[in-house]
Amino acid sequence: MEQPATSSGEPSQASSADASDETLTRHTLTSLRSLIINPSSPVSLINSILETLTRHLRLSRDSLILHHILSLLAELAHRSPDRSAVIFQAVRSFSLSTESPPLAAESLDTLASISENEEICDGSFFVSLCFDSLPPSRLWLLKNAGRFRVRPYLLFTVFLGFTRDPYPYVRKAALDGLISLSRSGAIEDHSLIKGCYHRAVELSGDSEACVRVAAVQTVSEWGQMLAASAHGMDRMKWSNEVFIKLCSMARDMRVDVRVAAFNAIEKTKMVSVGLLLQTLSKKVLDIMKESNYPGQGSREQKEAFAFSGALVHGLEDEYHEVRDAACCSMQKLTALSSQFSGEAINLLTDMLNDDSMAVRLHALETMQMMANRGHLSLKVLHMHMFLGSLTDSSSLIRDAVRQVLKSVKLQNMELFRLSVYGLIESMKSYHQDEIKNLSVLFNLGRNHGRFTESLITKVFNEIEPASDGKLGFDNARVSAFLMLAIAAPLCHVKNRCKIPVPIFSYAVTMLGRISSALVDEADQDTLLAYLTHCSRSSNDHEMHSGNLLPSHAKVQLEADCQLLKSMNDMFSKMGSIWSAVKLGHINKGLRTLRVCKGELAILASEPSGISASVAFAEQYLRIVKLLSKIYIHFLPTVNYCNYRVGNLDLLLVKLERRLRDIRHQFIGQPKEELHILELILFSYVVKLLLPEICCCEITMRKLSAVLFQVEHLQEEACMKPSSFVSELEKITASTPCHPSLLRKAFSHFSLEKFELSGRLEYASAELTVPGNNSENPLYFVCGMPVAIPIKVKLGSIPRQRRLWLKMTIGEEPTEFLYLDTKLYADSTRFSYSAPFYRTPKVLSFTLRISIGMECMSEIIDAASRCGGPRYELTFLTPEMDAYLSSEKSIHSLGTGV
Amino acid sequence: MAIDCLVLGAGQEVGKSCAVVTINGKRIMFDCGMHMGHLDHRRYPDFSLISSSDDSNGALDCVIITHFHLDHVGALPYFTEVRGYGGPIYMTYPTKALSPLMLEDYRKVMVERRGEEEQFTSDHIANCMKKVIAVDLKQTIQVDKDLQIRAYYAGHVLGAAMFYAKVGDTALVYTGDYNMTPDRHLGAAQIDRLQLDLLITESTYATTVRDSKYAREREFIQAVHKCVTGGGKVLIPTFALGRAQELCILLDDYWERMSIKVPIYFAAGLTIQANMYYKMLINWTSQKIKETYATHNPFNFKNVHKFERSMINDPGPCVLFATPGMISGGFSLEVFKHWAPSEKNLIMLPGYCVAGTVGHKLMSGKATSVDLDKDTRIDVRCKIHQLSFSPHTDSKGIMDLVRFLSPKHVILVHGEKPKMASLKAKIESELKIPSYVPCNNETVSVPSTHYLKADASSAFLRACSSPNFEFSKRHREEGENLGSEGTELNSRLQVNDERVNHGILILEGTKKVKLMHQDELPLLLGKEKHVIEYAYCSYTRLIEVEKNEDTSVTSATEMRSNLLRVLLSRLSREHQEETIQDFGEYIQVNSVQIRVCDKDSCPYRIKGSHENGPGSAFLCLSWSAGDEELAWNIIASIETPQPGHLLLGSERQ
């Protein structure tokens, strides 16, 4: 191969002679490129190449050649920044003179990539580009404005100006630009915000639908800014104003505009109750006619007809996308007012009759949220539709209804009776749901002690053995009543419990079913103890009737409470461990951790078995250990070589995996979630402090995403941010982040104040390959797919989470197999023949199989996916070995497999 | 030019819809319906009003039928075959398919049952239909050189359409009957945002505002479900097309989801045939049906079976759909006789029943018995439930449509007079659109749009192609008060783009209209352009320069440019929100130009004490009227001495 110009001798001369030739061929361009990327090409040569290229850029007419010249110039600018100004000018004049839109776009792209690296492009230049170029290039420029370094206020002016453009797509691009500008938060001037908002309102009546969609989003974003920049009454006034505008756009004739409007309404943070109520009624309400909103005159009245019933219209829309969006926004709006929730429930129960399952599920989810907030007040009117969904053919819907029933507080006896009978009906038609229904009945009983007592007293004769002494406990009705009855004493009512005592003895006969229904709350032994206690209490009753109930209450899940208590005792030690580590007493910290681990092992060995909280604690201890090991790397005074702590980057990788597992496998209360998220934030801070290990930009993006989630959770749970979190908020507010701020946040992190609330769900799985071991391998034919029979048992896999089977041989690339939700829709156990396609050409091999669950927050980049999951996986099982052999072994021949 | 709208039917009443519209010389007849309530000459529109001569052919350019209901299509065979209209007739495909069925059915009832004189024969119907041109939705039809029509989806019934008609620059929409909320089998009306001079809309429910359809559906389902779980039979008398399918989809869906095993029956006859049409015309149904169609045709009801007469007295619960809707006879009456006496059973009545039918008797008060004729008396012990499904839009829907289309004028037809008047008032007060409620045989004239063609100068065209926007603070006008008076201060940022707004229209000698760019005008008139500019020149000491050898050597030009640099950095600090440009010779902030004045006697110079020396000079500012405030701000900041700004010195170190 020719030595390209290492010794500025003949070759370079030859190349430059080529380059100066009148016609540039693609071949010449290729050799020019090799000269450009060669770092040792002499300066003079590069200069002459540059000169040639710019000349051809002016003269050439061949679009293909021009395309290559542009990319070469971009390359050149990238390699030698000192020439980028010259290149920039050349490309710029080309972009203005060319009449071919693709080439113009390309040249603009080159300009953008140069100005990304260099501080050449000032605002005026960008503006002149926008003004001088043809509409297609203008569109490109507006869409890619972020790549040029233009001051936000100038950018704002350009965007706002172009909302007047006669070309609709330019208007749309300008509005899109304004939306992204509003998210950057760079514009603070109230009058500018107002101007932009009003312009967007004008455009919401545009004749082009795409412009209207963008206008809706702009109205929402800038309207929110407007409200945020106002004070006192004005803030409410502006919020109302924006809300009205958005609602009146929800009646557009175009689906996408309507969807956009509802998506925007969803973001409403503050609005008058009257307006909210008006969205639920097509008729103009009296409250609007009176219009007692301060300082608003009769504007709402005038516009009331335009936005009234917006939600109703949305919910009865023809397109399920719109109904879905309307349902979501309703979900968010119910959080704003309890009065609104009360009215919304009428519509929501009606939505349960929708033909789209997604909409029905959303409606139920909304009800669940309302129930959690205590805003859900069901009436008899709603019960037919609501309880009817208990017999819905989709198990997802039935589950969702049960979730609502678990947490709802029913107002009167009639509602309670209807709910119980609804559950019994459901048990009759769906036998597979029996356990779940029993669990709901238990919750109902516990939440409604009084109602339960009066119901049970009425139906007691049904439960009592018939005259022939036979107990009908296999009957769904009776088992439902029993379940309900035994929960009643747990209700915290002052007076004593009036459940007939024999019931508790009867309940013992169905202990198996009861305990499987209450698997999350208590184990069989505890239950037995509880039932025995209650059935005995009739005798105690005479002796000390006064404190009968408290003793019952104490029995409730006694063992679990004990476990929880000891676990929380353990968690309280974490604070002291952390302070020890902070002071450099790493060994002391690790020792305490080991003690804790021992304690946990004892707890786990107790009859209750490994419950979710124990598994959680185990993971947690591991994480604390990793954190401590990482922390000492940052201690200035400690020579960490004295400790066997391992390599920092390896530790970080481990930590990340553990954090991902704990975050996604456990579903708990917001408090626990918050704590885990804080730990994750801390891990990001550590990474950011080590720029040599990680990519700061990506980590920063992840950090702000998690931080946003934390803020959201805190807002929902009404909690104050910890000092660590508030430090981080400062960091994200100031870009680029400053190492000193990071350090400060780092030092604010602590492990105190964490307690388990006890209601944890643990996504777990057990995987077996039945009948397979190294002695009895599965038979396969080389190169042909083979079916691996697997048996899976799942525990509390959240809905919407997707499961994957990962199969690996040695270092070979992995094969992923999606496990369809239908497999485990109705049962937690299933068998499945997993196909494995890439059988190697060997006599025998071992296949490592494990089950992973997608972590919804962590997207794998598309390049490395290759057909596998979209998100990172958290593995629910350790890797199982499956043995395969291409020779029929003696054993398998013998058994005839 | 004007649009004349002659209302031949459905003016301040419901029935015999017919409107003849003249736009720019073209005459279109929208709908050609009959009135079901009259049996005399009032049954048909008064066609003689169309033209003074009896020749309907020359008087009309085309007839457009919106849907197949008799009050919209009933008079068509009479008009074409008896009155002899031979021009084109437009309707949608489903309307073309279903209209003959409806007309034939009506003819039979009239002639065979009531023994009336035949108005038109089967042949008439067939011949009439041969003249019909079927159109598709959103298909633009060029009726002739000037007249364009286009159909838009209207909901209401299968194949119902709104029609857009355009002659030259004038355009109107005739809605026919429409529905703005979707139901289970038909979608909501859908139309583009058009530029309209006139909107002719129905106003059946001009004052009603209906609540969510879900409430009505829930009541219906609840009643039916309750009856069948109690072991009763449900009779749903319906018309063959429309509501039967709507209710059937609703029930079939619910049955499917709740796995209810009670049979649903369809009585044989027109209903089965109608279902067939629905299956074929799936494209005209709602979005949901179109979506599910790929997997399963929703009109192939899973739980619906055919009903035989022998099954009337079979035991056990069931749901039965039977025609006719008002139990005026036929199969529904027969079933009614058998089922009415049982308390367990339920009769679902449609929302509206004509007086004299059994349905009407049942609706009016709690009837315990119904006399069918002299000898037959039926005890009614069953439950009665009244449905309130309607395929017409309510007043809110009408308002929404009018607001969306924002036409220049609105004409209301197909409604009751007092209610229409109230809707008219509402449209005029809330939307500020003039509207009319003509009675039958009355003509309404509204002005139409007409565009003039004008030449444009090349300078104007050039100016149009590149953006040229400006921002201004506009003071709020009366009547568009967006907030309370006190807090909102009155001005708002406005954007204008000159290429759209600015131009000068001139009438040249030849009476040709021409558009010019504003810069061309002085040239044309031979006058010069005058611009008002302000100027101000004052002495400024900006830089404190260390007095050393170096500075004394500095040339005047260098000094001047240094001065400007310092000024630039200060201005960009103090006026961050303005666009500051550096042109070397001078600095420009918006329209304010700042340069170093080296004239000895500048006419704008302000008198005052000054000393010459390095770091100080005369600064001359000039600005145009719009930037007065900014200019004075800059002057103030230049003239304020700023100690400690030894920028020049430090730069040079």
Side-chain angles (χ1 to χ4, degrees), chain A residues 300-320:
Chain A
E300 269 87 359
Q301 272 179 42
K302 277 188 199 154
E303 285 196 14
F305 89 93
F307 79 92
S308 61
L311 275 176
V312 184
H313 282 301
L315 290 177
E316 58 184 24
D317 200 277
E318 185 179 350
Y319 291 81
H320 69 85

Side-chain angles (χ1 to χ4, degrees), chain B residues 53-102:
Chain B
S53 71
D54 234 12
D55 176 27
S56 324
N57 263 332
L60 289 181
D61 289 282
C62 70
V63 173
I64 292 172
I65 304 292
T66 56
H67 63 283
F68 65 72
H69 278 159
L70 285 177
D71 61 335
H72 293 259
V73 75
L76 191 65
Y78 173 79
F79 186 57
T80 60
E81 305 310 305
V82 182
R83 305 286 298 204
Y85 171 75
I89 302 165
Y90 294 94
M91 52 177 82
T92 61
Y93 282 95
T95 312
K96 187 179 177 185
L98 293 163
S99 295
L101 286 184
M102 298 298 281

Side-chain angles (χ1 to χ4, degrees), chain B residues 383-453:
Chain B
K383 289 180 275 298
I384 307 285
H385 194 276
Q386 205 174 325
L387 287 173
S388 52
F389 289 79
S390 170
H392 286 275
T393 181
D394 60 353
S395 92
K396 174 138 200 314
I398 300 173
M399 290 295 281
D400 283 341
L401 183 78
V402 175
R403 188 168 67 98
F404 182 76
L405 288 173
S406 304
K408 298 205 179 81
H409 305 271
V410 175
I411 292 180
L412 301 176
V413 291
H414 202 283
E416 292 159 29
K417 191 177 174 184
K419 291 181 182 172
M420 286 164 95
S422 124
L423 182 63
K424 168 185 146 79
K426 208 171 162 196
I427 293 176
E428 286 182 340
S429 71
E430 283 176 7
L431 298 170
K432 311 262 180 298
I433 298 173
S435 34
Y436 313 89
V437 279
C439 61
N440 277 344
N441 303 337
E442 189 183 324
T443 304
V444 176
S445 286
V446 299
S448 66
T449 313
H450 186 67
Y451 296 111
L452 263 184
K453 276 194 185 136

Side-chain angles (χ1 to χ4, degrees), chain A residues 413 451-461 463 480-482 484-485 488 498-500 503:
Chain A
M413 182 64 198
F451 296 156
T452 310
E453 282 167 24
S454 75
L455 183 73
I456 293 298
T457 349
K458 274 181 206 156
V459 298
F460 183 57
N461 50 354
I463 306 171
F481 286 140
L482 283 179
L484 201 59
K498 288 178 195 145
I499 298 289
I503 287 208

Side-chain angles (χ1 to χ4, degrees), chain A residues 303-584:
Chain A
E303 285 196 14
F305 89 93
F307 79 92
S308 61
L311 275 176
V312 184
H313 282 301
L315 290 177
E316 58 184 24
D317 200 277
E318 185 179 350
Y319 291 81
H320 69 85
E321 298 93 328
V322 183
R323 297 200 298 274
D324 221 18
C327 233
C328 284
S329 47
M330 189 145 168
Q331 193 168 334
K332 291 279 153 57
L333 293 180
T334 48
L336 299 180
S337 145
S338 60
Q339 201 184 346
F340 175 75
S341 301
E343 293 288 325
I345 183 69
N346 297 328
L347 266 176
L348 275 178
T349 44
D350 285 341
M351 290 311 291
L352 298 178
N353 195 26
D354 197 275
D355 43 51
S356 150
M357 186 159 89
V359 176
R360 297 208 296 276
L361 269 180
H362 259 135
L364 284 166
E365 246 166 47
T366 311
M367 287 169 83
Q368 166 83 55
M369 290 188 74
M370 283 159 72
N372 288 349
R373 290 195 200 97
H375 287 172
L376 182 68
S377 57
L378 287 167
K379 298 194 183 71
V380 178
L381 175 76
H382 307 134
M383 293 315 256
H384 178 260
M385 218 66 245
F386 176 63
L387 295 173
S389 298
L390 272 176
T391 45
D392 198 288
S393 52
S394 154
S395 63
L396 286 178
I397 299 283
R398 298 201 299 272
D399 282 346
V401 180
R402 278 193 281 266
Q403 282 304 323
V404 179
L405 273 175
K406 269 188 184 178
S407 38
V408 72
K409 187 83 191 151
L410 298 167
Q411 301 299 324
N412 57 44
M413 182 64 198
E414 177 62 8
L415 293 174
F416 179 74
R417 204 180 53 82
L418 283 173
S419 310
V420 172
Y421 287 125
L423 282 165
I424 293 172
E425 276 308 303
S426 159
M427 273 163 82
K428 282 180 189 164
S429 20
Y430 295 94
H431 296 291
Q432 67 268 40
D433 285 3
E434 189 188 28
I435 297 300
K436 291 178 187 165
N437 279 337
L438 286 177
S439 159
V440 178
L441 281 163
F442 186 82
N443 276 292
L444 264 184
R446 187 165 52 181
N447 296 340
H448 307 88
R450 281 265 154 267
F451 296 156
T452 310
E453 282 167 24
S454 75
L455 183 73
I456 293 298
T457 349
K458 274 181 206 156
V459 298
F460 183 57
N461 50 354
E462 276 185 56
I463 306 171
E464 282 246 82
S467 51
D468 54 2
K470 276 185 190 160
L471 284 165
F473 295 152
D474 42 352
N475 169 345
R477 202 174 152 86
V478 174
S479 47
F481 286 140
L482 283 179
M483 197 68 185
L484 201 59
I486 61 165
L490 300 176
C491 179
H492 303 286
V493 194
K494 291 254 167 55
N495 299 320
R496 55 202 185 78
C497 176
K498 288 178 195 145
I499 298 289
V501 175
I503 287 208
F504 295 100
S505 331
Y506 300 155
V508 177
T509 58
M510 48 178 274
L511 188 63
R513 272 191 282 171
I514 296 178
S515 69
S516 47
L518 302 182
V519 71
D520 298 336
E521 316 216 15
D523 63 291
Q524 214 164 33
D525 293 344
T526 323
L527 276 173
L528 185 60
Y530 168 66
L531 291 175
T532 335
H533 181 91
C534 289
S535 57
R536 238 188 273 124
S537 62
S538 61
N539 309 330
D540 306 349
H541 176 53
E542 276 82 36
M543 292 182 278
H544 40 81
S545 55
N547 51 13
L548 175 69
L549 228 135
S551 70
H552 281 190
K554 262 181 224 156
V555 183
Q556 177 203 10
L557 322 172
E558 207 172 301
D560 248 14
C561 282
Q562 195 56 46
L563 183 70
L564 197 64
K565 194 169 165 291
S566 32
M567 211 105 73
N568 279 335
D569 284 347
M570 196 173 70
F571 283 130
S572 64
K573 286 179 201 158
M574 295 302 143
S576 60
I577 293 178
W578 192 247
S579 10
V581 172
K582 266 187 160 178
L583 291 172

